[in-house]
Each structure stands twice: as C-alpha cells, then as structure tokens.
C-alpha cells in the first residue's frame, strides 16, 4: 500500500512536470510565432487579406490540403499517458479559445461603438459648421443693412441741410426788416426729421416762415384741394365725360390723330381652302359681264353665293398644264396662311380641266392706281400717309408670317370703298414663302417696281417688298414713276443705277419727312432699307404734330380738286 502511494505521488509529480513542460513548450512556440509574424512583411500582407471592408477581422480559413496528415499507430502505455495529457491540453485550449473569442467579440463591439461615436461626432461637427456659416451670413446681412441705413441717414442729412440752406437764403432775401435773417428748424427727434424728409410738403411752422413762403403754401394747398375735387368729380362723372371736359378745357391745337383703324374685315371667318372638282355654277352665280379687274392671270368677275346671297369676287385663272395648276395652288396655300384686315381673304376654290377659279372677298373701291391717275381726285399728302401706313401694316404681318409678296404695285392695292381711304393688298400669285436657309431667287415682276436684287438675280428677302413700297410712295406723292424709261431696258438700267431725285416740281410742297421716308426705302443695298416695322415708326407715319401740319396745309399732291369726305 505504501508502495502504491509512493508510485501514485511519483505519477502525479511526473504528470505535473510533463504538463508544465508542454505548456512551456506551447508558450515558447506561440511567442516565437508572434515575433516572426510581426517581423515578416508577408504575414502582414496575409493578415490584411483577412480583413473585411469595414475594417473588422475575419476568421482565418486555410485551404484544404495545406498540411499532410500522418497515419495513426496503435497506442501503447506511454501513448495512453500522452493521450491523457493531450485531453487535458485540449480542454485548456478550448477554454482559452472561447475566452479569446469572447475577448475578440468585445473588441469588435468596442470598435463598432467607436465608429458610431465618430460618425455621430462628424455629423455634429458638420451641423456646427453649417450653423457657423449661417451665423456668418446673417452677420454679413446685418452689416450690409447697417451700412445701407447709415448711407440713407447721411443722404437724408444732406438733403435736410440743403433744404435748410435754401430756406435761409429765401428768408434772407425776402425779409430785410428782420434782424435774424435766418430760419432754423430743430426737430426734437430723429423720427421727426425723417417725417420732414419723406413728407410731400416740408413741415415748417407758420411762425418761422416768411410771408411769401406762407402765400406759396396757401396756393399749394388750394391747388391740391382743387385737384382732389376734380378727382372726385371725375370718379362720379366717369372717364368719358372727364375726357370730354379735358378736351373742352384744353383743346389740342398742334396735334392730329389720323384714322389708323383697320378696314372692315371680310364678311366671313378665315378658312383653310382646298380646291374642289365640282362645277362652280352649282354653288355660285358669276356675272361675267361685270369685270372687276384683269391681267396676265385672267379676269375677275363679281359673283353671288346661291345659298347665302353673299357677294364675292371670282378670279378665273387659265391653267391648262399641271405646272400652271401647281403655281395657282401655291397661291392658295399662301392665302390660307394670311389672316389680316389689310389682306384680301380667300373663300373657296374650284378646279376644272383648263382653269382654276378662286372665290374671294369682294371690295368695290377700285384700284389705288385709279386714284393716282384720276385728275378729278384730290390726293393730299395726308391721304398718302393713310395709304402707306395701311400697306406697311399689311407687309409687316406678311413678313412676320415669312411670306414675300414680290409683286407690290398700285394695281394690286384695292380701296375698300370710294368714300374712305381704307385699302387691302391683293394678288398673291407671285408670293413666296421665305426660308432663310434656302436662298430664294426670282425672275418675275413688273419692271417699274422691281428691286435691284431681282434684276441682278440675287437673293431676295423682306427688303425686296420695301423697295416696291418706296416706289409706290413716290408715285402717290408726285404722280410720277421714279425709274420709268422709254422701254423696259432703260427702266431696268435706271433701277440698277438707282437714279432718282426730288428735283421735279411736284415735290416742292412735299414735307421733308416724306422725302426722308422715300430715301430710306429706295436704297440699292437691301440691308440698309427700312423694314415694315421701322417704317411704321418713322415720323412721317407716326408724328401727330406733323399730321396736324399736313392737315392744315393747302397744297395737294398733284391735282387741285376737292377731296371726298372721309368715312
């Protein structure tokens, strides 16, 4: 028994020594491994690979087959002893690994808490910075406001000083019997000072004012009262009677407002017309005996719509070939785009085998050309102003719609009636749509009214119509054609040379404004001509004082007969 106890003690002592040696060995291996890992760059790079994107460590996972496994042998007594110690060692290792894992979890939690605190601190810092910026902006605004306030106060002080100096000067001049000779105003506070500056009348006590200033103040008060009474009367009576009273009280003797109202519109709404193949006689009665006009295109007759009794004009155009019909359809397309009181309106269109008939608005005042050549008609300069203004308004609308007339002449301008000076532009057979990117050239028109760029076969545009307007103005004022020669060749050469003048006797009594108007249109270079909008703003067409002068002039353009009454 004693031997057994001795053997047991020896066994315990031996096992303790063995365990101590094993632990020392493991500790030494761990120590050497840590030193190698810290000193080796490769281990550092490997360690980096096992870190997550957020900076936390991952558990190291090694590839399979990285270490070879040895075959197991049958255990003997020493091996059993070794196995017992290995179980103890494994239990200790498990406890150590569990404590290590718990420790790592605590470290990760602390790191997450630190990150959260850092993010929170960053947001708080950004909020603090934004608040500091806002405070800086507010302080700058207050500073600017204070500076503006100081400037305003300085300005008010200067105005007050100037006013006081003026009052002192007036008092010194007008009150020689007074000893002080000056007036001082001492407002009790800054608020009173501001009230003095911003009031419509200066607030000065009657005791300090001189007599003349008192009188002027009484007169001002009286005038203000009269104005207030007049305003109340105007409000009670109404704007119309007030205007009449103003006109009766203060008659305008140096201005005249011309009748710039548009001519009466067509008796039907604007419509988009397409050609019909039906017989026109089924819908309209055409009076071929009554001819309203004619030209190279055909004839215009008076017609009546059977269903409504509406009086219209039928323009019969000879069109045998398909090309000729396309030209007429181009005129229809242009008229579909034009809706203006100074432009004739299209009502319907009919197509047959050899002709196309356009049914249009009817006016019975005759051509403007008839008034130019009629010696029994008194055409004054003011009448010409009315005509040219309406033509300019029609051209302004056409050019806004990007359409060129290209055949503007007195024959293509109709008077609405023989009693008024209202006109409408007609005949859009040569009109073209202007496209800036597509340069347009034409080789047609009436020689007397052709612009230089048409004769030279150059690009045409809006100023081409304005040249024709200048020729029409010249003819209305003088009854003469500025470029007309013995034949067409001479006429075209005169246009290219831009040879014209105001030396004829017919221009002796014509105003300088009218001559300037023509001079700004009959310019060889199209880029220097007035546009339609600019012509309407020219003094000859817009100056009321000039119109008043023209209305009372006794001269006539080129005849000496009584004018018709204006409607």
């Amino acid at each position: 028994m004693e031997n057994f106890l001795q053997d047991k003690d020896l066994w315990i002592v031996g096992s303790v020594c063995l365990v101590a040696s094993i632990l020392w060995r493991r500790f030494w291996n761990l120590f050497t491994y840590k030193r190698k890992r810290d000193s080796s760059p490769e281990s550092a790079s490997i360690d980096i690979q096992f870190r997550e994107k957020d900076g936390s460590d991952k558990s190291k996972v090694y590839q399979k087959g990285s270490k070879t496994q040895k075959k197991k042998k049958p255990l003997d007594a020493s091996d059993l002893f070794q196995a017992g110690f290995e179980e103890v060692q494994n239990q200790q290792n498990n406890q150590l690994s569990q404590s290590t894992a718990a420790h790592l979890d605590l470290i990760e939690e602390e790191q997450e808490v630190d990150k959260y605190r850092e993010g929170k601190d960053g947001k708080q810092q950004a909020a603090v910075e934004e608040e500091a910026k806002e405070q800086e902006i507010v302080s700058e605004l207050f500073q600017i406001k204070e500076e503006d306030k100081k400037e305003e106060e300085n300005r008010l002080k200067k105005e007050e000083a100037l006013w006081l100096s003026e009052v002192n000067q007036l008092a010194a001049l007008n009150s020689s019997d007074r000893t002080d000779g000056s007036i001082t105003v001492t407002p009790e506070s800054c608020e009173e000072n501001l009230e003095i500056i911003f009031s419509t009348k200066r607030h000065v006590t009657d005791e300090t004012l001189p007599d003349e200033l008192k009188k002027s103040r009484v007169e001002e008060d009286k005038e203000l009262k009269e104005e207030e009474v007049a305003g109340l009367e105007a409000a009670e009576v109404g704007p119309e009677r007030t205007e009449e009273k103003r006109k009766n009280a203060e008659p305008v003797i140096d201005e005249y407002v011309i009748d710039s109202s548009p001519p009466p519109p067509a008796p039907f709404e604007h419509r988009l017309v397409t050609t019909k193949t039906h017989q026109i006689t089924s819908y309209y009665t055409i009076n071929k005996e009554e001819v309203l006009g004619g030209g190279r295109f055909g004839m215009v007759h008076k017609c009546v719509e059977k269903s409504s009794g509406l009086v219209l004009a039928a323009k019969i155009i000879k069109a045998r070939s398909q090309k000729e019909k396309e030209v007429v359809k181009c005129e229809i397309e242009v008229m579909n785009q034009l809706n203006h009181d100074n432009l004739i309106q299209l009502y319907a269109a009919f197509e047959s085998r050899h002709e196309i008939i356009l049914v249009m608005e009817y006016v019975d005042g005759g051509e403007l050309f008839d008034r130019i050549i009629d010696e029994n008609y008194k055409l004054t300069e003011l009448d010409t102003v009315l005509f040219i203004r309406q033509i300019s308004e029609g051209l302004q609308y056409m050019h806004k719609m990007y359409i060129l007339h290209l055949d503007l002449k007195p024959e293509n301008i109709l008077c609405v009636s023989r009693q008024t000076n209202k006109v409408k532009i007609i005949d859009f057979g040569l009109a073209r749509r202007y496209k800036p990117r597509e340069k347009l050239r034409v080789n047609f028109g009436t020689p007397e009214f052709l612009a230089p760029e048409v004769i030279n076969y150059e690009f045409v545009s809006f100023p081409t119509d304005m040249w024709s307007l200048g020729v029409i103005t010249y003819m209305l004022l003088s009854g003469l054609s500025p470029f007309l020669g013995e034949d067409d060749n001479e006429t075209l050469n005169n246009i290219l040379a831009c040879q014209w003048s105001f030396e004829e006797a017919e221009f002796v009594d014509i105003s300088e404004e009218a001559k300037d108007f023509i001079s700004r249109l009959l310019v060889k270079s199209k880029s220097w001509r007035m546009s339609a909008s600019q012509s309407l703003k020219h003094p000859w067409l817009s100056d009321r004082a000039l119109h008043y002068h023209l209305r009372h002039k006794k001269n006539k353009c080129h005849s000496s007969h009584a004018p018709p009454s204006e409607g």
Side-chain angles (χ1 to χ4, degrees):
M1 186 67 183
E2 293 178 358
N3 292 332
F4 176 74
L5 292 173
Q6 291 177 357
D7 293 336
K8 186 178 180 182
D9 293 335
L10 291 173
W11 181 81
I12 292 171
V13 171
S15 60
V16 170
C17 291
L18 182 61
V19 170
S21 64
I22 291 170
L23 291 174
W24 172 254
R25 185 180 177 183
R26 182 172 292 278
F27 174 78
W28 179 255
N29 289 335
L30 290 172
F31 179 75
T32 54
Y33 173 74
K34 185 176 181 182
R35 289 183 62 187
K36 290 180 181 180
R37 186 186 64 179
D38 296 336
S39 61
S40 175
E42 295 180 357
S43 64
S45 63
I46 292 172
D47 208 19
I48 292 171
Q49 294 176 2
F50 292 102
R51 291 186 177 276
E52 296 283 0
K53 292 182 180 180
D54 58 354
S56 61
D57 294 335
K58 281 185 4 180
S59 59
K60 296 182 181 179
V61 181
Y62 296 96
Q63 297 179 357
K64 292 182 180 180
S66 61
K67 291 184 179 181
T68 59
Q69 297 179 355
K70 296 181 180 180
K71 292 182 180 180
K72 297 182 180 180
K73 294 180 181 181
L75 299 175
D76 54 4
S78 62
D79 291 333
L80 288 173
F81 181 76
Q82 182 69 24
F85 282 105
E86 285 180 357
E87 289 180 2
V88 174
Q89 185 179 356
N90 290 333
Q91 292 177 0
Q92 293 176 352
N93 289 338
N94 290 332
Q95 293 177 359
L96 182 62
S97 62
Q98 290 177 1
S99 62
T100 305
H103 183 66
L104 290 174
D105 292 338
L106 289 174
I107 292 172
E108 290 178 357
E109 290 179 359
E110 290 178 358
Q111 289 178 351
E112 291 179 357
V113 171
D114 293 338
K115 289 178 182 178
Y116 175 76
R117 288 177 180 176
E118 289 177 358
K120 189 174 181 181
D121 293 340
K123 292 180 180 178
Q124 291 179 353
Q125 186 175 1
V128 171
E129 290 178 356
E130 290 180 359
E131 187 176 358
K133 289 181 180 179
E134 292 178 357
Q135 290 179 356
E136 289 179 0
I137 293 171
V138 171
S139 62
E140 289 178 0
L141 292 175
F142 275 115
Q143 186 176 0
I144 293 170
K145 189 173 181 181
E146 290 294 332
E147 292 178 355
D148 294 340
K149 188 175 180 180
K150 289 180 180 178
E151 291 180 359
E152 184 69 16
E153 290 178 356
N154 292 332
R155 186 179 65 80
L156 294 176
K157 288 179 181 179
K158 290 180 180 179
E159 291 182 356
E160 182 67 18
L162 289 173
W163 176 73
L164 289 175
S165 62
E166 291 176 359
V167 172
N168 292 335
Q169 291 178 1
L170 289 173
L173 292 173
N174 297 325
S175 59
S176 58
D177 54 343
R178 296 179 62 175
T179 57
D180 52 358
S182 63
I183 300 174
T184 58
V185 179
T186 57
E188 295 179 356
S189 64
C190 181
E191 293 179 356
E192 293 179 0
N193 189 9
L194 291 176
E195 290 177 0
I196 293 171
I197 297 300
F198 288 110
S199 61
T200 55
K201 294 191 296 182
R202 305 292 183 178
H203 178 71
V204 183
T205 57
D206 292 336
E207 296 177 357
T208 57
L209 283 173
D211 295 336
E212 293 185 1
L213 289 179
K214 290 181 182 178
K215 291 179 181 179
S216 63
R217 183 176 176 181
V218 172
E219 292 175 356
E220 287 178 0
D221 293 338
K222 187 177 180 181
E223 291 176 358
L224 286 173
K225 289 180 180 179
E226 291 177 356
E227 290 178 358
E228 291 177 358
V229 172
L232 292 173
E233 291 178 355
E236 294 175 356
V237 174
E240 296 180 356
R241 292 187 62 182
T242 305
E243 185 68 18
E244 293 178 0
K245 187 176 180 180
R246 186 183 63 81
K247 289 182 179 178
N248 294 331
E250 298 179 1
V252 179
I253 59 174
D254 58 347
E255 288 186 357
Y256 176 70
V257 180
I258 61 174
D259 182 12
S260 58
S261 61
F268 52 86
E269 295 292 333
H270 178 74
R271 50 176 62 187
L272 299 178
V273 176
T274 56
T275 55
K276 300 176 183 179
T277 56
H278 306 292
Q279 288 290 332
I280 189 173
T281 54
S282 302
Y283 303 94
Y284 299 90
T285 301
I286 300 177
N287 185 4
K288 294 192 175 181
E289 295 181 357
E290 187 173 356
V291 179
L292 303 177
R296 64 183 183 281
F297 53 84
M299 306 299 291
V300 180
H301 303 275
K302 190 176 182 179
C303 72
V304 179
E305 187 177 25
K306 292 181 179 180
S307 61
S308 63
L310 184 64
V311 179
L312 299 163
K315 180 181 178 181
I316 304 174
I317 304 172
K318 301 296 181 182
R320 299 180 179 274
S321 65
Q322 187 64 29
K323 185 177 181 181
E324 291 176 342
K325 290 184 178 180
E326 290 297 328
V327 172
V328 180
K329 289 180 180 179
C330 180
E331 180 178 358
I332 295 173
E333 183 181 352
V334 168
M335 295 188 73
N336 283 337
Q337 301 177 48
L338 301 177
N339 182 18
H340 193 269
D341 292 338
N342 288 112
L343 306 177
I344 208 75
Q345 296 296 296
L346 183 62
Y347 189 73
F350 294 86
E351 179 180 357
S352 64
R353 185 175 180 182
H354 299 298
E355 62 186 15
I356 295 179
I357 301 176
L358 304 182
V359 181
M360 300 178 295
E361 174 187 1
Y362 169 75
V363 292
D364 61 353
E367 297 176 357
L368 182 61
F369 181 75
D370 296 335
R371 297 198 181 188
I372 296 176
I373 62 176
D374 188 1
E375 295 183 354
N376 296 323
Y377 179 75
K378 176 183 177 289
L379 185 65
T380 65
E381 184 175 343
L382 190 60
D383 293 331
T384 306
V385 169
L386 295 172
F387 289 138
I388 298 301
R389 183 174 180 84
Q390 292 176 80
I391 299 171
S392 297
E393 289 175 350
L395 286 177
Q396 182 188 39
Y397 175 80
M398 289 184 65
H399 293 171
K400 284 183 178 180
M401 301 298 293
Y402 282 83
I403 294 176
L404 309 177
H405 190 281
L406 299 178
D407 194 23
L408 203 61
K409 54 186 178 182
E411 294 91 327
N412 288 338
I413 299 170
L414 291 182
C415 299
V416 174
S417 67
R418 300 186 183 278
Q419 289 74 34
T420 65
N421 290 328
K422 304 299 181 182
V423 296
K424 291 178 181 281
I425 300 174
I426 65 168
D427 195 356
F428 302 95
L430 301 181
R432 294 289 184 271
R433 184 165 184 82
Y434 177 71
K435 299 178 181 179
R437 295 183 179 180
E438 299 177 9
K439 302 298 183 181
L440 178 64
R441 293 185 177 92
V442 295
N443 56 357
F444 48 73
T446 307
E448 292 178 59
F449 303 93
L450 292 179
E453 57 267 21
V454 177
I455 300 172
N456 288 329
Y457 199 61
E458 298 173 350
F459 301 133
V460 297
S461 58
F462 306 125
T464 304
D465 286 336
M466 301 310 295
W467 172 278
S468 302
L469 181 66
V471 177
I472 294 173
T473 306
Y474 190 101
M475 294 180 67
L476 288 173
L477 291 174
S478 65
L480 306 173
S481 180
F483 302 106
L484 185 62
E486 296 295 332
D487 53 22
D488 290 345
N489 288 332
E490 185 178 351
T491 300
L492 298 179
N493 288 330
N494 291 337
I495 293 172
L496 291 176
C498 203
Q499 293 179 355
W500 62 276
S501 65
F502 297 120
E503 295 178 357
E504 287 77 6
E506 285 78 2
F507 283 99
V508 173
D509 293 328
I510 300 301
S511 66
E512 293 298 323
E513 289 81 0
K515 295 177 182 178
D516 181 74
F517 184 85
I518 296 172
S519 301
R520 292 178 182 272
L521 293 176
L522 298 182
V523 183
K524 188 173 183 179
S525 176
K526 62 182 179 181
S527 59
W528 291 97
R529 296 174 203 156
M530 283 193 303
S531 65
S533 299
Q534 290 172 342
S535 66
L536 289 170
K537 296 177 183 178
H538 190 276
W540 189 56
L541 298 183
S542 61
D543 190 355
R544 295 181 179 180
L546 174 64
H547 298 162
Y548 173 83
H549 179 67
L550 295 176
R551 185 169 181 264
H552 289 80
K553 278 176 65 175
K554 302 296 183 181
N555 69 301
K556 310 167 187 62
C557 286
H558 49 82
S559 66
S560 58
H561 301 279
S565 60
E566 292 188 5

